[in-house]
Amino acid sequence: MTFQPPVRDYQFLLRDLLQLERYANLPAFADASLDTVDQILEEAGKFTGEVLAPLNGVGDKQGCVWSPDFTVKTPDGFKSAYAQLVEAGWPALGADPNYGGQGLPHVVNLAFSEMSSAANMAFSMYPGLTHGAYSAIHVGGTPEQKDLYLPKLASGEWAGTMNLTEPHCGTDLGLLRTKAVPQADGTYKISGQKIWISGGEQDLTDNIVHLVLARIEGAPAGVRGISLFIVPKYIPDADGKPGQRNSVKCLGLEEKMGIHGNATCVISHEESTGWLIGEENRGLPIMFVMMNEARIGVGMQGIAQAEAAYQAAAEFAKDRLQGRSLTGPKNPDGPADPIIVHPDVRRMLMDSRAIIEGGRAFLFWTALHGDLSHASPDEAVQQKGRDYMALLTPVLKGFLTDRGFKVCSDAMQVHGGSGFTEHFPVSQYLRDVRIALIYEGTNGVQALDLVGRKLAADGGRAVMSFFAELDAFIAENEDDAALKPFVAGLAKAKGELQEATMWLMQNGLANPENAGAASTDYMHLFGLTGLAYMWTLMAKAANGKIAAGDADPFYANKLTVGRYYIERILPETASHLAKLKAGSELMMALPAEAF
């Protein structure tokens, strides 16, 4: 089967759930009329389904090829597909019009990003990371740097990367050794080795703009002494075109479990010429602009791969004949019934769909708040948007990739032994999605960030705002009979999340290991509660359409899946609360040598 982008679901989210037309009076939303958005979604569905999806298996089987001249060849078809991507203007969808972008809200761009990632995760990482580099320069670059690099990055004509990790340090960036030596002309000579650089070398673009973390000679130790530099593969000439080759080399490619179509490079900087972005020793705040955007993108990858795997599993379950229904034959003229008649197969498919559709709504809802943090004229709305983006980014990254991996695993289980072979696509989805739990900060690090930093930020303002929003919604809708099961489930989950938050405040400060031991369960409890809110909002929107006489079965199906989430998945919150409150004592009791 071929991946089918879920365009109808995006339309429901943007039109019925988020009601995008409410913001038509804001300049940032002026070009995002529903008719325009529908056209974008339809065309994006065609491009990703017809151009990118057929190359997914090709990229997996061929991989990228490194040559001793330090070049990298991407899989067959990738270069042509990338040229089509740029020609159609897809990378510029959400970029600043001042630099050649189309200026559409990020929430619209997110739909294209998910389709692209579901169709071909390895391919979509090339433009995805480029947009991250664009965002960092947009925030921290000088006017001259912006004028030089942003139009090329926004269009996708040039690619971008982030050079963070070194062989001896990953998450702990304070240990990095790459050095920067200032030169008389205002540039810096960058020397050091970076690893796991996605898209660090490729044959898709005329130039690659590396954003490199390095330490200027004499800088303070640790993270306080890290600066950020633009290090292009080719130094732009006076006309802004690729000129002299910089001394940046790809020394080789990693042999990986998945995402074979993306070049994961070892990059050597041998006195490369670089330009400082922002102030000396203040590189991390700018890089975190790129990393936070990437983390939401990784959460999206979890949902995207889950969607593709679910589609494959549902198709297989309708075709595969095995056994008979427990209530009598459903395919009496055939030798057996399709396995979709079996409750346990239905369990896996319904679990998957409930997580995918709820998780997608959570991503889009958060992305809209991110848009409003920039676009709204109301300072309170801007503040809420910034708070929610900070608070929910680790939840979206950690929870959605954990659950996305489970969906891909369940999809393999639906396929049975066939799924463990390479004759079916589901094994690739499982292998590809596994990295999403690791890169851009492992999910354990996301959970620690949530518990250790985001909850306490600004006196807990963000989480208290989130609780207040849920309380107001519950109070406003508790008498709605059609919504009662949803509101009751949401209220229970919110109460458990609030109890967990109070427990952390009381027990985490006294013993930080309690916070560390509780962090992953707290992140999952938060994610489950967030999805409960999304399902309740979607149920309200679907009920409204049905009450208005819309007979589209889409809405009735949405309500069924939502009820399934509330009754069969949401009860997991109680388990996470119980584990969280057990504390760290037994977790830390064994001496290290006992492991």
Side-chain angles (χ1 to χ4, degrees), residues 247-544:
S247 51
V248 182
K249 293 179 181 175
C250 172
L251 301 183
L253 299 176
E254 299 291 348
E255 293 289 335
K256 310 187 298 289
M257 173 180 174
I259 54 170
H260 296 149
N262 193 269
T264 306
C265 303
V266 178
I267 296 290
S268 173
H269 295 279
E270 302 169 359
E271 294 199 337
S272 307
T273 301
W275 285 262
L276 180 71
I277 310 182
E279 300 174 25
E280 290 188 4
N281 309 327
R282 294 286 299 159
L284 275 188
I286 302 172
M287 182 58 87
F288 269 112
V289 171
M290 189 172 186
M291 289 183 69
N292 283 333
E293 183 170 304
R295 284 169 176 170
I296 290 182
V298 174
M300 175 273 296
Q301 286 179 330
I303 292 298
Q305 293 305 289
E307 173 69 40
Y310 161 78
Q311 286 190 21
E315 190 75 15
F316 184 88
K318 288 184 277 190
D319 289 343
R320 172 71 165 167
L321 303 181
Q322 193 85 5
R324 288 295 188 189
S325 167
L326 297 173
T327 55
K330 299 296 186 286
N331 179 33
D333 297 331
D337 288 333
I339 62 172
I340 200 165
V341 305
H342 303 307
D344 197 58
V345 171
R346 289 290 189 108
R347 173 187 62 81
M348 291 184 280
L349 294 175
M350 288 292 284
D351 278 1
S352 300
R353 189 160 166 179
I355 290 293
I356 292 165
E357 294 180 17
R360 178 181 294 129
F362 203 15
L363 277 165
F364 278 54
W365 180 84
T366 306
L368 177 60
H369 280 290
D371 283 323
L372 293 174
S373 75
H374 303 292
S376 176
D378 186 332
E379 173 55 35
V381 174
Q382 289 184 26
Q383 182 70 69
K384 182 178 179 180
R386 291 191 293 269
D387 285 351
Y388 277 11
M389 286 290 285
L391 175 69
L392 298 177
T393 292
V395 180
L396 293 170
K397 196 281 186 184
F399 178 75
L400 295 183
T401 57
D402 272 352
R403 299 305 287 241
F405 178 74
K406 184 181 185 302
V407 169
C408 292
S409 181
D410 281 349
M412 178 176 279
Q413 193 74 13
V414 170
H415 280 76
S418 299
F420 198 67
T421 71
E422 296 299 320
H423 298 299
F424 289 83
V426 70
S427 64
Q428 182 187 347
Y429 300 134
L430 187 71
R431 288 183 286 104
D432 283 354
V433 79
R434 189 59 185 83
I435 186 58
L437 286 69
I438 298 170
Y439 61 14
E440 305 304 341
T442 66
N443 286 359
V445 169
Q446 301 304 317
L448 283 173
D449 178 46
L450 173 65
V451 165
R453 294 165 60 185
K454 299 302 170 58
L455 283 185
D458 300 303
R461 184 179 65 208
V463 74
M464 294 307 166
S465 175
F466 185 70
F467 288 152
E469 177 167 345
L470 297 192
D471 285 338
F473 180 86
I474 290 164
E476 186 180 322
N477 293 278
E478 59 188 353
D479 294 330
D480 184 337
L483 214 54
K484 199 168 188 64
F486 292 91
V487 173
L490 174 61
K492 181 175 183 296
K494 182 264 171 183
E496 289 165 333
L497 180 60
Q498 194 156 20
E499 184 179 345
T501 306
M502 296 305 296
W503 187 92
L504 280 170
M505 289 178 175
Q506 293 163 5
N507 295 275
L509 291 175
N511 179 3
E513 286 186 340
N514 277 332
S519 58
T520 290
D521 282 298
Y522 184 82
M523 179 180 72
H524 278 266
L525 177 48
F526 208 127
L528 288 163
T529 305
L531 263 64
Y533 185 36
M534 294 304 108
W535 273 115
T536 308
L537 290 173
M538 287 191 284
K540 183 170 184 176
N543 281 335

Side-chain angles (χ1 to χ4, degrees), residues 571-591:
E572 294 173 21
T573 53
S575 168
H576 287 296
L577 178 62
K579 290 190 288 182
L580 179 154
K581 291 170 69 175
S584 63
E585 184 180 354
L586 289 174
M587 196 177 286
M588 307 305 293
L590 288 180

Side-chain angles (χ1 to χ4, degrees), residues 102-381:
Q102 296 174 39
L104 286 167
H106 180 61
V107 71
V108 176
N109 191 47
L110 186 62
F112 174 75
S113 297
E114 193 206 317
M115 289 188 232
S116 176
S117 186
N120 194 323
M121 178 173 166
F123 178 94
S124 71
M125 289 171 65
Y126 294 109
L129 283 161
T130 296
H131 192 75
Y134 156 90
S135 297
I137 295 174
H138 195 275
V139 166
T142 64
E144 294 76 18
Q145 288 170 343
K146 293 179 183 181
D147 289 342
L148 176 58
Y149 290 104
L150 292 187
K152 297 286 202 302
L153 292 171
S155 69
E157 183 181 341
W158 292 0
T161 75
M162 48 200 284
N163 284 217
L164 283 74
T165 308
E166 299 183 5
H168 59 281
C169 73
T171 302
D172 191 352
L173 292 171
L175 299 176
L176 73 77
R177 297 174 186 154
T178 298
K179 68 178 182 178
V181 180
Q183 304 298 297
D185 63 357
T187 64
Y188 291 77
K189 291 298 183 187
I190 314 293
S191 299
Q193 190 175 107
K194 300 288 185 176
I195 61 171
W196 303 337
I197 309 306
S198 299
E201 181 58 53
Q202 36 79 357
D203 58 357
L204 306 177
T205 62
D206 294 337
N207 206 357
I208 302 173
V209 181
H210 300 285
L211 295 193
V212 183
L213 287 181
R215 196 181 300 282
I216 298 172
E217 286 186 321
V223 295
R224 292 184 301 110
I226 296 175
S227 300
L228 183 64
F229 300 87
I230 298 175
V231 183
K233 176 181 173 180
Y234 293 100
I235 297 172
D237 62 19
D239 296 324
K241 297 176 180 176
Q244 179 187 345
R245 180 75 161 86
N246 210 343
S247 51
V248 182
K249 293 179 181 175
C250 172
L251 301 183
L253 299 176
E254 299 291 348
E255 293 289 335
K256 310 187 298 289
M257 173 180 174
I259 54 170
H260 296 149
N262 193 269
T264 306
C265 303
V266 178
I267 296 290
S268 173
H269 295 279
E270 302 169 359
E271 294 199 337
S272 307
T273 301
W275 285 262
L276 180 71
I277 310 182
E279 300 174 25
E280 290 188 4
N281 309 327
R282 294 286 299 159
L284 275 188
I286 302 172
M287 182 58 87
F288 269 112
V289 171
M290 189 172 186
M291 289 183 69
N292 283 333
E293 183 170 304
R295 284 169 176 170
I296 290 182
V298 174
M300 175 273 296
Q301 286 179 330
I303 292 298
Q305 293 305 289
E307 173 69 40
Y310 161 78
Q311 286 190 21
E315 190 75 15
F316 184 88
K318 288 184 277 190
D319 289 343
R320 172 71 165 167
L321 303 181
Q322 193 85 5
R324 288 295 188 189
S325 167
L326 297 173
T327 55
K330 299 296 186 286
N331 179 33
D333 297 331
D337 288 333
I339 62 172
I340 200 165
V341 305
H342 303 307
D344 197 58
V345 171
R346 289 290 189 108
R347 173 187 62 81
M348 291 184 280
L349 294 175
M350 288 292 284
D351 278 1
S352 300
R353 189 160 166 179
I355 290 293
I356 292 165
E357 294 180 17
R360 178 181 294 129
F362 203 15
L363 277 165
F364 278 54
W365 180 84
T366 306
L368 177 60
H369 280 290
D371 283 323
L372 293 174
S373 75
H374 303 292
S376 176
D378 186 332
E379 173 55 35
V381 174

